[in-house]
Amino acid sequence: MKLKLKIWRQPNAKSTGKIVDYFVDGIESDMSFLEMLDILNEDLIQKGEDTVAFDHDCREGICGSCSLFINGEAHGPDRGIPTCQLHMRMFKDGDEIYIEPFRAKAFPIIKDLVVDRSSFDRIQQAGGFVSVNTSGNPVDANTIPIPKKDADRAFDAATCIGCGACVATCKNSSAMLFVAAKVSQYALLPQGRVEATDRVLNMVAQMDAEGFGNCTNTGACEVECPKGISLDYIAQMNREYLSASLQG
């Protein structure tokens, strides 16, 4: 395939960015989207031009760092996958593809397609953990009875990879789905109940401090989430937050 790529180029956070046109040829349908970008960068190196900066790590759909906005959709036209698992079979010869970074106030651009998502890290650090003393003889988790329904829901929430697609696709740049997933994966399990009150209050407060927008329940976040995190978890978090606020 021969493709025309319209890519956002921005040297640094303080510079003004713009869309730049590139052409790539010889792209096979079984290549991943990131492999296609690798080919583009190899060509730019040969020409002595500055390569396109994009973020990636595992390339196995686990870390979420490969996040890109492709033709107006977070992670591109496929569903249930991050960018690294998007294959070029979703496009056809002669296509024009727009490639942009995730855009949100809380995700400032570092360079080109790379954004700073450390705001998610700070939300996690505010309460997305369970404090457990492992220096003695901790109780085997398998000895604590947990209803299968709760265990399944907690596992589903824990599949969130923190890619930020929910923020990028939300008209308000809300991080509610991300925070709800992180709160819910602990709220549904007995190990997480000990710190449940502080967890939800601290994580929501940090989310607001980072400058994320409010949720208006349009549901775009659930549609674009590569792990299919349900809006139901936002309801779960709202219940946790109300209960914690009343206790406080």
Side-chain angles (χ1 to χ4, degrees), residues 22 44 61 70 131 145 164 233:
Y22 296 98
L44 293 177
I70 302 166
S131 300
Y233 291 109

Side-chain angles (χ1 to χ4, degrees), residues 65-105:
S65 63
C66 60
S67 305
L68 295 174
F69 217 64
I70 302 166
N71 284 348
E73 296 183 272
H75 296 300
D78 211 345
R79 287 291 175 266
I81 58 168
T83 301
C84 64
Q85 294 183 314
L86 176 67
H87 284 81
M88 298 311 297
R89 66 180 67 97
M90 298 298 297
F91 305 93
K92 61 182 184 297
D93 184 41
D95 273 357
E96 184 175 84
I97 306 174
Y98 281 81
I99 309 171
E100 302 172 79
F102 279 4
R103 299 186 184 277
K105 177 183 178 181

